[in-house]
Amino acid sequence: MSAAAKIRSTIESTGKTRKVTSALEMVAASKLNKTQQRMAASRPYADKMLSVIGHLAQSNSEYRHPFLDARPPQRVGYIVISTDRGLCGGLNTNLFKETLKSMQAWQAQSVEVDVCVLGQKALSFFKRHQFNVLAQAAHLGDVPELSDVVGVVSTLLKAYDSGSVDRIFLASNVHVNTMTQKPRMLQLVPLLPAQLDQAPDHWDYIYEPDAKVVMDTLLNRYIECEVYQGMIENIACEQAARMMAMKNATDNAGDIIDSLRLAYNKVRQASITQELSEIVAGAEAV
Amino acid sequence: MPEAKTIQLDIVSAESALFSGQVLRVLVSGSLGELGIEPGHTALLSPLKPGQVTFTQQEGSVEHFYVSGGVVEVQPDHVTILADTCIRGEALDAEKATAAQAAAQAKLADQQAEADYAQALRELAQATAQLRMIQELNRRRKV
């Protein structure tokens, strides 16, 4: 009987776990919609910004902004965006794996790596792996403010301006659809020519008040906006990944309960059969 | 009647895309003064002051937007306004703007809060620009 009781208690506890995971799944599903909308709403701004900067890079300005010119890398900076909480499948793990691979490629060329992190998971990961964490921000919630991002970004931009960092990358997840999220390494600074569409003609803008002021404002804002967009997108990824992970967990719990119930019934039947045969044998003996 | 010349206008803010379409002319407040942009304007790039964006649509109707700042890019065939925040003229709230103006003035008067001087100045400029726009819209409605 004790075997049957043990199985029964396992069924009960698995059932409770299933309740929790299905509740988490529903919470994630309801948040997902909102975060996806937020992501879609802020995307046009980033796209337009990039196209303006594309024009800017082709124009033949007398002032060449440092963000547009590459210099040989001696030290590179990464901005890594992760979630604050776990229980979202392999979202963070995949991103970190990809980021580490890209960092190790730099380290193999004896280029040093600095990291700025957004999100608790990235913070503890890169601290554990003894990376040089320049700036950090975590627990920014579901609706981060642009001002939360600015501090982290400006640390790296200042390092770039002073020449101590020669490349800045953004590592974050891209929301392909609800089922798939992909880690992405984006080179933020200097801007890659591939990011900008090329045109052959020679022309330039009229700048008001002057080229330096306008370009500084625009490029700084672009970087901030790109990182902010990455954060918003990462939140949508988090909810989508959590929803899928919790859905799988709920389904798996159901499967486990089914197989346990089968095992329980077999044990119960076996014990009844045994008792019956014992009674019959006892009756025959009398 | 010959087709009037138009220019493609896109207004986007960090929160959303607010307008996209063909317009006859656009008026914005650039950092050095008011700019009137018509089709075929030479390429120009300028930061924006808090103020109005006004444009005339093809059928002749005039639309007003408030922007708190940003950047305007002009190409001969299109205008892109990258706004920090942008509010449709009709959605402006006079009471809120007045309150914001009063708060900013109070902050400026407070000598201790010196660190936030630039911020307060910016807030004041934004609130004042909103109020000016509301007044102008009201006046136009009465006429």
mmCIF file of all heavy atoms in Angstrom, chain A residues 38 41-45 48-49 51-52 55-56 203-209 213-215 217-218 221 228, chain B residues 10 12-17 31-32 42-47 70-71 73-75 78 80 82-84:
data_model
loop_
_atom_site.group_PDB
_atom_site.id
_atom_site.type_symbol
_atom_site.label_atom_id
_atom_site.label_comp_id
_atom_site.label_asym_id
_atom_site.label_seq_id
_atom_site.Cartn_x
_atom_site.Cartn_y
_atom_site.Cartn_z
ATOM 1 N N ARG A 38 3.766 47.669 -27.680
ATOM 2 C CA ARG A 38 4.720 48.723 -27.352
ATOM 3 C C ARG A 38 5.916 48.658 -28.281
ATOM 4 O O ARG A 38 6.428 49.666 -28.745
ATOM 5 C CB ARG A 38 5.163 48.545 -25.897
ATOM 6 C CG ARG A 38 5.410 49.859 -25.198
ATOM 7 C CD ARG A 38 5.632 49.635 -23.724
ATOM 8 N NE ARG A 38 4.432 49.244 -23.028
ATOM 9 C CZ ARG A 38 4.403 48.296 -22.101
ATOM 10 N NH1 ARG A 38 5.487 47.647 -21.769
ATOM 11 N NH2 ARG A 38 3.271 48.002 -21.501
ATOM 12 N N ALA A 41 5.023 49.937 -31.672
ATOM 13 C CA ALA A 41 4.772 51.382 -31.693
ATOM 14 C C ALA A 41 6.074 52.177 -31.778
ATOM 15 O O ALA A 41 6.123 53.221 -32.412
ATOM 16 C CB ALA A 41 3.995 51.792 -30.459
ATOM 17 N N SER A 42 7.138 51.675 -31.140
ATOM 18 C CA SER A 42 8.358 52.479 -31.116
ATOM 19 C C SER A 42 9.295 52.138 -32.268
ATOM 20 O O SER A 42 10.306 52.778 -32.446
ATOM 21 C CB SER A 42 9.077 52.324 -29.782
ATOM 22 O OG SER A 42 9.435 50.990 -29.584
ATOM 23 N N ARG A 43 8.938 51.139 -33.058
ATOM 24 C CA ARG A 43 9.835 50.732 -34.129
ATOM 25 C C ARG A 43 9.959 51.783 -35.244
ATOM 26 O O ARG A 43 11.063 52.035 -35.725
ATOM 27 C CB ARG A 43 9.396 49.386 -34.700
ATOM 28 C CG ARG A 43 10.464 48.765 -35.571
ATOM 29 C CD ARG A 43 10.164 47.343 -35.908
ATOM 30 N NE ARG A 43 10.858 46.406 -35.041
ATOM 31 C CZ ARG A 43 10.559 45.115 -34.983
ATOM 32 N NH1 ARG A 43 9.579 44.624 -35.673
ATOM 33 N NH2 ARG A 43 11.240 44.322 -34.205
ATOM 34 N N PRO A 44 8.862 52.438 -35.672
ATOM 35 C CA PRO A 44 8.985 53.415 -36.763
ATOM 36 C C PRO A 44 10.003 54.503 -36.461
ATOM 37 O O PRO A 44 10.730 54.942 -37.359
ATOM 38 C CB PRO A 44 7.593 54.032 -36.878
ATOM 39 C CG PRO A 44 6.685 53.121 -36.180
ATOM 40 C CD PRO A 44 7.475 52.284 -35.251
ATOM 41 N N TYR A 45 10.077 54.908 -35.191
ATOM 42 C CA TYR A 45 11.008 55.965 -34.798
ATOM 43 C C TYR A 45 12.438 55.529 -35.079
ATOM 44 O O TYR A 45 13.208 56.254 -35.709
ATOM 45 C CB TYR A 45 10.822 56.269 -33.313
ATOM 46 C CG TYR A 45 11.595 57.440 -32.794
ATOM 47 C CD1 TYR A 45 11.250 58.729 -33.155
ATOM 48 C CD2 TYR A 45 12.659 57.266 -31.926
ATOM 49 C CE1 TYR A 45 11.947 59.813 -32.667
ATOM 50 C CE2 TYR A 45 13.364 58.346 -31.434
ATOM 51 C CZ TYR A 45 12.997 59.619 -31.801
ATOM 52 O OH TYR A 45 13.688 60.690 -31.315
ATOM 53 N N LYS A 48 13.091 55.309 -38.909
ATOM 54 C CA LYS A 48 13.238 56.630 -39.543
ATOM 55 C C LYS A 48 14.575 57.235 -39.179
ATOM 56 O O LYS A 48 15.271 57.810 -40.010
ATOM 57 C CB LYS A 48 12.118 57.574 -39.080
ATOM 58 C CG LYS A 48 10.795 57.295 -39.747
ATOM 59 C CD LYS A 48 10.763 57.849 -41.160
ATOM 60 C CE LYS A 48 9.529 57.362 -41.859
ATOM 61 N NZ LYS A 48 9.730 56.840 -43.177
ATOM 62 N N MET A 49 14.922 57.073 -37.906
ATOM 63 C CA MET A 49 16.185 57.596 -37.417
ATOM 64 C C MET A 49 17.333 57.006 -38.212
ATOM 65 O O MET A 49 18.235 57.707 -38.649
ATOM 66 C CB MET A 49 16.320 57.179 -35.948
ATOM 67 C CG MET A 49 17.387 57.883 -35.232
ATOM 68 S SD MET A 49 16.773 59.436 -34.662
ATOM 69 C CE MET A 49 17.036 59.304 -32.957
ATOM 70 N N SER A 51 17.257 55.788 -41.200
ATOM 71 C CA SER A 51 17.284 56.240 -42.589
ATOM 72 C C SER A 51 17.842 57.657 -42.675
ATOM 73 O O SER A 51 18.577 57.983 -43.608
ATOM 74 C CB SER A 51 15.901 56.114 -43.235
ATOM 75 O OG SER A 51 15.118 57.234 -42.953
ATOM 76 N N VAL A 52 17.529 58.498 -41.672
ATOM 77 C CA VAL A 52 18.094 59.848 -41.663
ATOM 78 C C VAL A 52 19.610 59.769 -41.507
ATOM 79 O O VAL A 52 20.365 60.446 -42.215
ATOM 80 C CB VAL A 52 17.481 60.700 -40.522
ATOM 81 C CG1 VAL A 52 18.229 62.016 -40.386
ATOM 82 C CG2 VAL A 52 16.016 60.959 -40.780
ATOM 83 N N HIS A 55 21.271 58.847 -44.683
ATOM 84 C CA HIS A 55 21.477 59.988 -45.573
ATOM 85 C C HIS A 55 22.670 60.813 -45.114
ATOM 86 O O HIS A 55 23.486 61.259 -45.907
ATOM 87 C CB HIS A 55 20.234 60.891 -45.588
ATOM 88 C CG HIS A 55 19.035 60.226 -46.157
ATOM 89 N ND1 HIS A 55 17.753 60.530 -45.769
ATOM 90 C CD2 HIS A 55 18.912 59.245 -47.085
ATOM 91 C CE1 HIS A 55 16.905 59.774 -46.422
ATOM 92 N NE2 HIS A 55 17.588 58.992 -47.231
ATOM 93 N N LEU A 56 22.737 60.961 -43.800
ATOM 94 C CA LEU A 56 23.774 61.790 -43.200
ATOM 95 C C LEU A 56 25.164 61.227 -43.510
ATOM 96 O O LEU A 56 26.091 61.960 -43.831
ATOM 97 C CB LEU A 56 23.549 61.820 -41.688
ATOM 98 C CG LEU A 56 24.328 62.811 -40.876
ATOM 99 C CD1 LEU A 56 23.974 64.206 -41.312
ATOM 100 C CD2 LEU A 56 23.986 62.630 -39.404
ATOM 101 N N TRP A 203 26.356 65.532 -52.318
ATOM 102 C CA TRP A 203 25.511 66.616 -51.843
ATOM 103 C C TRP A 203 25.713 66.733 -50.349
ATOM 104 O O TRP A 203 26.326 65.874 -49.732
ATOM 105 C CB TRP A 203 24.038 66.340 -52.156
ATOM 106 C CG TRP A 203 23.567 65.052 -51.542
ATOM 107 C CD1 TRP A 203 23.698 63.813 -52.082
ATOM 108 C CD2 TRP A 203 22.952 64.869 -50.275
ATOM 109 N NE1 TRP A 203 23.206 62.865 -51.231
ATOM 110 C CE2 TRP A 203 22.732 63.486 -50.110
ATOM 111 C CE3 TRP A 203 22.557 65.735 -49.247
ATOM 112 C CZ2 TRP A 203 22.141 62.967 -48.970
ATOM 113 C CZ3 TRP A 203 21.961 65.196 -48.122
ATOM 114 C CH2 TRP A 203 21.757 63.829 -48.007
ATOM 115 N N ASP A 204 25.188 67.796 -49.778
ATOM 116 C CA ASP A 204 25.267 67.934 -48.328
ATOM 117 C C ASP A 204 24.040 68.671 -47.814
ATOM 118 O O ASP A 204 23.374 69.394 -48.550
ATOM 119 C CB ASP A 204 26.535 68.674 -47.926
ATOM 120 C CG ASP A 204 26.803 68.547 -46.436
ATOM 121 O OD1 ASP A 204 26.190 67.658 -45.816
ATOM 122 O OD2 ASP A 204 27.605 69.324 -45.903
ATOM 123 N N TYR A 205 23.777 68.479 -46.554
ATOM 124 C CA TYR A 205 22.674 69.186 -45.912
ATOM 125 C C TYR A 205 23.058 70.631 -45.624
ATOM 126 O O TYR A 205 24.243 70.968 -45.557
ATOM 127 C CB TYR A 205 22.359 68.551 -44.564
ATOM 128 C CG TYR A 205 21.609 67.271 -44.615
ATOM 129 C CD1 TYR A 205 22.226 66.069 -44.301
ATOM 130 C CD2 TYR A 205 20.257 67.259 -44.931
ATOM 131 C CE1 TYR A 205 21.527 64.879 -44.319
ATOM 132 C CE2 TYR A 205 19.556 66.076 -44.942
ATOM 133 C CZ TYR A 205 20.185 64.893 -44.641
ATOM 134 O OH TYR A 205 19.487 63.746 -44.646
ATOM 135 N N ILE A 206 22.016 71.441 -45.417
ATOM 136 C CA ILE A 206 22.226 72.717 -44.732
ATOM 137 C C ILE A 206 22.031 72.373 -43.265
ATOM 138 O O ILE A 206 21.029 71.764 -42.902
ATOM 139 C CB ILE A 206 21.154 73.748 -45.140
ATOM 140 C CG1 ILE A 206 21.215 74.015 -46.630
ATOM 141 C CG2 ILE A 206 21.315 75.024 -44.333
ATOM 142 C CD1 ILE A 206 20.069 74.889 -47.102
ATOM 143 N N TYR A 207 22.986 72.691 -42.444
ATOM 144 C CA TYR A 207 22.831 72.373 -41.033
ATOM 145 C C TYR A 207 22.481 73.626 -40.246
ATOM 146 O O TYR A 207 23.082 74.672 -40.454
ATOM 147 C CB TYR A 207 24.126 71.782 -40.462
ATOM 148 C CG TYR A 207 24.533 70.502 -41.100
ATOM 149 C CD1 TYR A 207 25.450 70.490 -42.138
ATOM 150 C CD2 TYR A 207 23.994 69.295 -40.679
ATOM 151 C CE1 TYR A 207 25.834 69.297 -42.740
ATOM 152 C CE2 TYR A 207 24.372 68.103 -41.273
ATOM 153 C CZ TYR A 207 25.285 68.113 -42.304
ATOM 154 O OH TYR A 207 25.663 66.946 -42.886
ATOM 155 N N GLU A 208 21.515 73.512 -39.383
ATOM 156 C CA GLU A 208 21.196 74.625 -38.492
ATOM 157 C C GLU A 208 21.312 74.138 -37.060
ATOM 158 O O GLU A 208 20.686 73.134 -36.733
ATOM 159 C CB GLU A 208 19.765 75.112 -38.743
ATOM 160 C CG GLU A 208 19.645 75.978 -39.966
ATOM 161 C CD GLU A 208 18.272 76.615 -40.064
ATOM 162 O OE1 GLU A 208 17.519 76.564 -39.079
ATOM 163 O OE2 GLU A 208 17.969 77.129 -41.123
ATOM 164 N N PRO A 209 22.053 74.683 -36.166
ATOM 165 C CA PRO A 209 22.965 75.804 -36.367
ATOM 166 C C PRO A 209 24.257 75.380 -37.061
ATOM 167 O O PRO A 209 24.749 76.114 -37.895
ATOM 168 C CB PRO A 209 23.249 76.294 -34.949
ATOM 169 C CG PRO A 209 22.843 75.186 -34.050
ATOM 170 C CD PRO A 209 21.904 74.300 -34.770
ATOM 171 N N VAL A 213 26.837 70.186 -34.025
ATOM 172 C CA VAL A 213 25.743 70.145 -33.053
ATOM 173 C C VAL A 213 24.675 69.156 -33.506
ATOM 174 O O VAL A 213 24.227 68.288 -32.748
ATOM 175 C CB VAL A 213 25.135 71.553 -32.874
ATOM 176 C CG1 VAL A 213 23.910 71.488 -31.981
ATOM 177 C CG2 VAL A 213 26.161 72.504 -32.313
ATOM 178 N N VAL A 214 24.285 69.288 -34.761
ATOM 179 C CA VAL A 214 23.202 68.456 -35.276
ATOM 180 C C VAL A 214 23.596 66.986 -35.252
ATOM 181 O O VAL A 214 22.835 66.126 -34.791
ATOM 182 C CB VAL A 214 22.836 68.889 -36.713
ATOM 183 C CG1 VAL A 214 21.764 67.983 -37.267
ATOM 184 C CG2 VAL A 214 22.378 70.319 -36.728
ATOM 185 N N MET A 215 24.810 66.690 -35.727
ATOM 186 C CA MET A 215 25.230 65.281 -35.786
ATOM 187 C C MET A 215 25.366 64.692 -34.394
ATOM 188 O O MET A 215 24.986 63.552 -34.168
ATOM 189 C CB MET A 215 26.569 65.192 -36.512
ATOM 190 C CG MET A 215 26.404 65.218 -38.004
ATOM 191 S SD MET A 215 27.880 64.541 -38.742
ATOM 192 C CE MET A 215 27.787 65.286 -40.339
ATOM 193 N N THR A 217 23.747 65.529 -31.654
ATOM 194 C CA THR A 217 22.409 65.269 -31.126
ATOM 195 C C THR A 217 21.830 64.011 -31.760
ATOM 196 O O THR A 217 21.328 63.128 -31.073
ATOM 197 C CB THR A 217 21.447 66.423 -31.490
ATOM 198 O OG1 THR A 217 22.182 67.599 -31.695
ATOM 199 C CG2 THR A 217 20.377 66.604 -30.462
ATOM 200 N N LEU A 218 21.903 63.972 -33.075
ATOM 201 C CA LEU A 218 21.223 62.918 -33.811
ATOM 202 C C LEU A 218 21.844 61.548 -33.520
ATOM 203 O O LEU A 218 21.127 60.587 -33.247
ATOM 204 C CB LEU A 218 21.311 63.239 -35.299
ATOM 205 C CG LEU A 218 20.307 62.524 -36.186
ATOM 206 C CD1 LEU A 218 18.902 62.905 -35.766
ATOM 207 C CD2 LEU A 218 20.535 62.892 -37.633
ATOM 208 N N ARG A 221 21.269 60.379 -29.960
ATOM 209 C CA ARG A 221 19.876 59.978 -29.792
ATOM 210 C C ARG A 221 19.607 58.648 -30.474
ATOM 211 O O ARG A 221 18.856 57.819 -29.981
ATOM 212 C CB ARG A 221 18.948 61.061 -30.352
ATOM 213 C CG ARG A 221 17.531 60.820 -29.940
ATOM 214 C CD ARG A 221 16.686 62.028 -30.127
ATOM 215 N NE ARG A 221 17.109 63.123 -29.278
ATOM 216 C CZ ARG A 221 16.702 64.371 -29.481
ATOM 217 N NH1 ARG A 221 15.900 64.648 -30.491
ATOM 218 N NH2 ARG A 221 17.091 65.325 -28.677
ATOM 219 N N TYR A 228 17.236 51.419 -26.350
ATOM 220 C CA TYR A 228 15.892 51.409 -25.742
ATOM 221 C C TYR A 228 14.983 50.442 -26.499
ATOM 222 O O TYR A 228 14.271 49.636 -25.891
ATOM 223 C CB TYR A 228 15.312 52.825 -25.780
ATOM 224 C CG TYR A 228 13.950 52.940 -25.164
ATOM 225 C CD1 TYR A 228 13.796 52.842 -23.792
ATOM 226 C CD2 TYR A 228 12.825 53.128 -25.952
ATOM 227 C CE1 TYR A 228 12.547 52.939 -23.218
ATOM 228 C CE2 TYR A 228 11.575 53.226 -25.388
ATOM 229 C CZ TYR A 228 11.442 53.139 -24.020
ATOM 230 O OH TYR A 228 10.199 53.227 -23.465
ATOM 231 N N ASP B 10 6.544 62.611 -42.791
ATOM 232 C CA ASP B 10 6.429 61.564 -41.765
ATOM 233 C C ASP B 10 6.722 62.184 -40.414
ATOM 234 O O ASP B 10 7.758 62.828 -40.237
ATOM 235 C CB ASP B 10 7.447 60.446 -42.012
ATOM 236 C CG ASP B 10 7.100 59.619 -43.223
ATOM 237 O OD1 ASP B 10 6.080 58.920 -43.159
ATOM 238 O OD2 ASP B 10 7.843 59.686 -44.224
ATOM 239 N N VAL B 12 7.220 60.987 -36.600
ATOM 240 C CA VAL B 12 7.289 59.865 -35.668
ATOM 241 C C VAL B 12 7.828 60.354 -34.324
ATOM 242 O O VAL B 12 8.658 61.251 -34.264
ATOM 243 C CB VAL B 12 8.204 58.719 -36.182
ATOM 244 C CG1 VAL B 12 7.576 58.004 -37.340
ATOM 245 C CG2 VAL B 12 9.576 59.229 -36.560
ATOM 246 N N SER B 13 7.287 59.789 -33.250
ATOM 247 C CA SER B 13 7.850 60.040 -31.931
ATOM 248 C C SER B 13 8.268 58.692 -31.372
ATOM 249 O O SER B 13 7.946 57.656 -31.950
ATOM 250 C CB SER B 13 6.825 60.712 -31.023
ATOM 251 O OG SER B 13 5.929 59.754 -30.538
ATOM 252 N N ALA B 14 8.988 58.722 -30.252
ATOM 253 C CA ALA B 14 9.474 57.470 -29.668
ATOM 254 C C ALA B 14 8.311 56.533 -29.334
ATOM 255 O O ALA B 14 8.475 55.328 -29.321
ATOM 256 C CB ALA B 14 10.300 57.761 -28.430
ATOM 257 N N GLU B 15 7.134 57.095 -29.074
ATOM 258 C CA GLU B 15 6.001 56.247 -28.684
ATOM 259 C C GLU B 15 5.245 55.686 -29.878
ATOM 260 O O GLU B 15 4.722 54.588 -29.823
ATOM 261 C CB GLU B 15 5.015 57.012 -27.796
ATOM 262 C CG GLU B 15 5.497 57.210 -26.384
ATOM 263 C CD GLU B 15 6.182 58.541 -26.196
ATOM 264 O OE1 GLU B 15 5.744 59.513 -26.828
ATOM 265 O OE2 GLU B 15 7.171 58.613 -25.456
ATOM 266 N N SER B 16 5.145 56.463 -30.968
ATOM 267 C CA SER B 16 4.347 55.963 -32.082
ATOM 268 C C SER B 16 4.602 56.772 -33.347
ATOM 269 O O SER B 16 5.210 57.830 -33.310
ATOM 270 C CB SER B 16 2.862 56.031 -31.727
ATOM 271 O OG SER B 16 2.509 57.366 -31.471
ATOM 272 N N ALA B 17 4.098 56.234 -34.464
ATOM 273 C CA ALA B 17 4.128 56.986 -35.717
ATOM 274 C C ALA B 17 2.837 57.797 -35.776
ATOM 275 O O ALA B 17 1.752 57.252 -35.669
ATOM 276 C CB ALA B 17 4.204 56.031 -36.890
ATOM 277 N N SER B 31 15.533 75.287 -34.416
ATOM 278 C CA SER B 31 16.253 75.901 -33.289
ATOM 279 C C SER B 31 16.657 77.339 -33.611
ATOM 280 O O SER B 31 16.895 78.132 -32.717
ATOM 281 C CB SER B 31 17.471 75.068 -32.933
ATOM 282 O OG SER B 31 18.359 75.075 -34.028
ATOM 283 N N LEU B 32 16.737 77.691 -34.899
ATOM 284 C CA LEU B 32 17.120 79.058 -35.251
ATOM 285 C C LEU B 32 15.933 79.896 -35.713
ATOM 286 O O LEU B 32 16.091 81.026 -36.131
ATOM 287 C CB LEU B 32 18.190 79.048 -36.340
ATOM 288 C CG LEU B 32 19.557 78.537 -35.924
ATOM 289 C CD1 LEU B 32 20.555 78.715 -37.032
ATOM 290 C CD2 LEU B 32 20.038 79.239 -34.666
ATOM 291 N N THR B 42 15.642 72.441 -50.377
ATOM 292 C CA THR B 42 16.965 71.826 -50.354
ATOM 293 C C THR B 42 17.162 71.008 -49.064
ATOM 294 O O THR B 42 16.475 71.240 -48.072
ATOM 295 C CB THR B 42 18.056 72.908 -50.479
ATOM 296 O OG1 THR B 42 19.317 72.243 -50.513
ATOM 297 C CG2 THR B 42 18.028 73.866 -49.321
ATOM 298 N N ALA B 43 18.084 70.039 -49.123
ATOM 299 C CA ALA B 43 18.307 69.152 -47.979
ATOM 300 C C ALA B 43 18.738 69.957 -46.764
ATOM 301 O O ALA B 43 19.606 70.821 -46.873
ATOM 302 C CB ALA B 43 19.367 68.125 -48.324
ATOM 303 N N LEU B 44 18.097 69.673 -45.630
ATOM 304 C CA LEU B 44 18.360 70.442 -44.427
ATOM 305 C C LEU B 44 18.183 69.557 -43.205
ATOM 306 O O LEU B 44 17.376 68.635 -43.208
ATOM 307 C CB LEU B 44 17.387 71.618 -44.366
ATOM 308 C CG LEU B 44 17.378 72.455 -43.095
ATOM 309 C CD1 LEU B 44 17.602 73.903 -43.445
ATOM 310 C CD2 LEU B 44 16.081 72.309 -42.338
ATOM 311 N N LEU B 45 18.973 69.843 -42.202
ATOM 312 C CA LEU B 45 18.893 69.073 -40.975
ATOM 313 C C LEU B 45 18.947 70.056 -39.821
ATOM 314 O O LEU B 45 19.863 70.875 -39.747
ATOM 315 C CB LEU B 45 20.096 68.129 -40.913
ATOM 316 C CG LEU B 45 20.000 66.859 -40.099
ATOM 317 C CD1 LEU B 45 18.812 66.029 -40.516
ATOM 318 C CD2 LEU B 45 21.272 66.056 -40.278
ATOM 319 N N SER B 46 17.965 70.038 -38.929
ATOM 320 C CA SER B 46 17.951 71.006 -37.848
ATOM 321 C C SER B 46 17.267 70.435 -36.620
ATOM 322 O O SER B 46 16.293 69.694 -36.736
ATOM 323 C CB SER B 46 17.210 72.265 -38.304
ATOM 324 O OG SER B 46 16.988 73.109 -37.202
ATOM 325 N N PRO B 47 17.781 70.763 -35.443
ATOM 326 C CA PRO B 47 17.048 70.399 -34.230
ATOM 327 C C PRO B 47 15.773 71.247 -34.121
ATOM 328 O O PRO B 47 15.696 72.320 -34.724
ATOM 329 C CB PRO B 47 18.012 70.730 -33.091
ATOM 330 C CG PRO B 47 19.312 71.043 -33.724
ATOM 331 C CD PRO B 47 19.039 71.456 -35.122
ATOM 332 N N GLY B 70 13.149 67.758 -30.895
ATOM 333 C CA GLY B 70 13.485 66.664 -31.790
ATOM 334 C C GLY B 70 14.339 67.149 -32.932
ATOM 335 O O GLY B 70 15.073 68.125 -32.806
ATOM 336 N N VAL B 71 14.222 66.452 -34.056
ATOM 337 C CA VAL B 71 15.046 66.783 -35.215
ATOM 338 C C VAL B 71 14.166 66.756 -36.461
ATOM 339 O O VAL B 71 13.281 65.916 -36.562
ATOM 340 C CB VAL B 71 16.199 65.754 -35.381
ATOM 341 C CG1 VAL B 71 17.030 66.075 -36.609
ATOM 342 C CG2 VAL B 71 17.079 65.721 -34.149
ATOM 343 N N GLU B 73 14.406 66.449 -40.639
ATOM 344 C CA GLU B 73 15.256 66.196 -41.794
ATOM 345 C C GLU B 73 14.462 66.544 -43.040
ATOM 346 O O GLU B 73 13.318 66.110 -43.183
ATOM 347 C CB GLU B 73 15.660 64.726 -41.867
ATOM 348 C CG GLU B 73 16.697 64.461 -42.940
ATOM 349 C CD GLU B 73 16.425 63.233 -43.792
ATOM 350 O OE1 GLU B 73 15.316 62.683 -43.741
ATOM 351 O OE2 GLU B 73 17.335 62.854 -44.543
ATOM 352 N N VAL B 74 15.044 67.341 -43.913
ATOM 353 C CA VAL B 74 14.355 67.713 -45.145
ATOM 354 C C VAL B 74 15.151 67.198 -46.338
ATOM 355 O O VAL B 74 16.362 67.401 -46.419
ATOM 356 C CB VAL B 74 14.211 69.249 -45.256
ATOM 357 C CG1 VAL B 74 13.441 69.609 -46.517
ATOM 358 C CG2 VAL B 74 13.540 69.817 -44.033
ATOM 359 N N GLN B 75 14.467 66.491 -47.220
ATOM 360 C CA GLN B 75 15.006 66.099 -48.514
ATOM 361 C C GLN B 75 14.063 66.697 -49.544
ATOM 362 O O GLN B 75 12.915 66.992 -49.212
ATOM 363 C CB GLN B 75 15.020 64.572 -48.644
ATOM 364 C CG GLN B 75 15.967 63.867 -47.702
ATOM 365 C CD GLN B 75 17.374 63.787 -48.250
ATOM 366 O OE1 GLN B 75 17.608 64.094 -49.415
ATOM 367 N NE2 GLN B 75 18.321 63.418 -47.401
ATOM 368 N N HIS B 78 10.926 64.569 -49.429
ATOM 369 C CA HIS B 78 10.263 64.197 -48.181
ATOM 370 C C HIS B 78 10.819 64.927 -46.960
ATOM 371 O O HIS B 78 11.943 65.412 -46.968
ATOM 372 C CB HIS B 78 10.288 62.673 -47.958
ATOM 373 C CG HIS B 78 11.641 62.118 -47.701
ATOM 374 N ND1 HIS B 78 12.324 61.373 -48.625
ATOM 375 C CD2 HIS B 78 12.438 62.202 -46.617
ATOM 376 C CE1 HIS B 78 13.489 61.035 -48.128
ATOM 377 N NE2 HIS B 78 13.589 61.510 -46.909
ATOM 378 N N THR B 80 11.070 64.429 -42.709
ATOM 379 C CA THR B 80 10.909 63.511 -41.586
ATOM 380 C C THR B 80 11.073 64.301 -40.299
ATOM 381 O O THR B 80 12.054 65.017 -40.134
ATOM 382 C CB THR B 80 11.969 62.397 -41.638
ATOM 383 O OG1 THR B 80 11.976 61.843 -42.942
ATOM 384 C CG2 THR B 80 11.657 61.321 -40.630
ATOM 385 N N LEU B 82 11.504 63.763 -36.400
ATOM 386 C CA LEU B 82 11.745 62.830 -35.310
ATOM 387 C C LEU B 82 11.491 63.600 -34.019
ATOM 388 O O LEU B 82 12.323 64.383 -33.577
ATOM 389 C CB LEU B 82 13.189 62.344 -35.349
ATOM 390 C CG LEU B 82 13.623 61.619 -36.624
ATOM 391 C CD1 LEU B 82 15.132 61.577 -36.736
ATOM 392 C CD2 LEU B 82 13.063 60.221 -36.680
ATOM 393 N N ALA B 83 10.322 63.398 -33.443
ATOM 394 C CA ALA B 83 9.923 64.197 -32.286
ATOM 395 C C ALA B 83 10.234 63.451 -31.000
ATOM 396 O O ALA B 83 10.227 62.229 -30.966
ATOM 397 C CB ALA B 83 8.435 64.495 -32.358
ATOM 398 N N ASP B 84 10.551 64.211 -29.936
ATOM 399 C CA ASP B 84 10.728 63.584 -28.618
ATOM 400 C C ASP B 84 9.370 63.131 -28.113
ATOM 401 O O ASP B 84 9.138 61.972 -27.849
ATOM 402 C CB ASP B 84 11.352 64.569 -27.636
ATOM 403 C CG ASP B 84 12.770 64.921 -28.047
ATOM 404 O OD1 ASP B 84 13.310 64.212 -28.910
ATOM 405 O OD2 ASP B 84 13.307 65.902 -27.527
#
